[in-house]
Amino acid sequence: MSIFIPAVPALPITKPEFSALYLNQLTNVLRLYFNLLNNAVVELNSAILDLETDGGGSALNFPYGAFSSDVSQSTTVNTTTLLTFNTTDFSNNVSIVSSQMTVVKAGIYNLQFSVQVQNLDNASQDVYIWLRQNGVDIVGSTGVIGMPARKSVGDPSHDIKGWNYFLSMNAGDYVEIWWSTTDIDVTIPAYVASGSPTKPSTQSVVATMSFVSALTV
């Protein structure tokens, strides 16, 4: 949301003696300033009421991005690997190129993501997922997923995992999601639509970046 904030008015210079002209000038300057200030308050109040009454927030405009991939992703054993995206579902001042989610405006952002995981190995295996910001690992961001062994030959075990992080981002910063696994038979697959009953397709990975707040001083 962008609200016009009026500048502090330049008041006319006072005179030692009473002056009707000075009083009129002062009154006009203050009237204009308070009219502009009132318009800004009305605009802000309208946005707040919009959120309270119908949840629409039509006057609000925050940065956000929603991205996903319809491609199955795999890696070799214990190898640092990027999760990639090939679909932009929604975007407003947050963009993606393959793996890098980049913000245009500085702020605190909430990164939420989920991954579809499967294991075709005949033993339980682990998957590690973590974040890097501007190419640097984010301390404390690693999650560990324990995948049970396959159900039978050709019938893998399945799971979907997701979590979220708050990130302090400067303009132009980017964040990436990395992963590794203890076995080559553990993958992050995309599934096509299926029947009995009819179910839509499954993306291998989904991520959203939402603006939360301006950076604190």
Side-chain angles (χ1 to χ4, degrees):
M1 179 179 184
S2 179
I3 295 177
F4 172 73
I5 301 176
V8 176
L11 301 179
I13 300 175
T14 59
K15 296 183 178 181
E17 70 279 358
F18 173 77
S19 169
L21 177 60
Y22 166 78
L23 186 60
N24 287 335
Q25 290 176 334
L26 178 62
T27 302
N28 288 334
V29 169
L30 292 177
R31 181 185 297 112
L32 175 60
Y33 175 69
F34 285 119
N35 283 340
L36 293 173
L37 193 60
N38 181 74
N39 290 339
V41 172
V42 169
E43 185 179 356
L44 178 60
N45 188 57
S46 173
I48 294 173
L49 288 175
D50 190 25
L51 283 175
E52 291 176 346
T53 55
D54 63 16
S58 60
L60 299 176
N61 182 12
F62 295 121
Y64 58 81
F67 315 103
S68 60
S69 174
D70 60 4
V71 175
S72 295
Q73 306 191 41
S74 60
T75 184
T76 54
V77 176
N78 297 323
T79 301
T80 300
T81 307
L82 271 170
L83 280 176
T84 59
F85 302 80
N86 65 357
T87 303
T88 296
D89 300 297
F90 301 96
S91 179
N92 178 33
N93 285 312
V94 180
S95 61
I96 194 165
V97 176
S98 180
S99 63
Q100 295 183 359
M101 287 172 276
T102 304
V103 302
V104 174
K105 299 180 182 297
I108 303 298
Y109 286 81
N110 184 12
L111 169 61
Q112 302 185 64
F113 63 92
S114 63
V115 292
Q116 178 69 54
V117 188
Q118 75 172 27
N119 180 19
L120 265 172
D121 191 58
N122 196 31
S124 60
Q125 301 293 341
D126 291 329
V127 179
Y128 299 85
I129 300 178
W130 67 97
L131 304 179
R132 285 182 180 175
Q133 185 171 348
N134 300 330
V136 179
D137 288 337
I138 297 178
V139 176
S141 67
T142 301
V144 184
I145 302 170
M147 289 296 297
R150 69 189 185 196
K151 289 173 282 185
S152 62
V153 177
D155 189 7
S157 61
H158 306 272
D159 202 354
I160 186 167
K161 296 293 185 182
W163 54 91
N164 68 285
Y165 291 86
F166 271 27
L167 301 170
S168 177
M169 308 278 285
N170 292 313
D173 280 2
Y174 68 89
V175 62
E176 297 172 308
I177 306 173
W178 291 76
W179 72 294
S180 69
T181 180
T182 54
D183 193 89
I184 194 172
D185 285 327
V186 177
T187 59
I188 298 178
Y191 299 134
V192 298
S194 59
S196 301
T198 301
K199 301 175 288 296
S201 60
T202 299
Q203 301 292 76
S204 58
V205 57
V206 174
T208 62
M209 283 274 286
S210 304
F211 180 88
V212 176
S213 171
L215 294 175
T216 57
V217 178

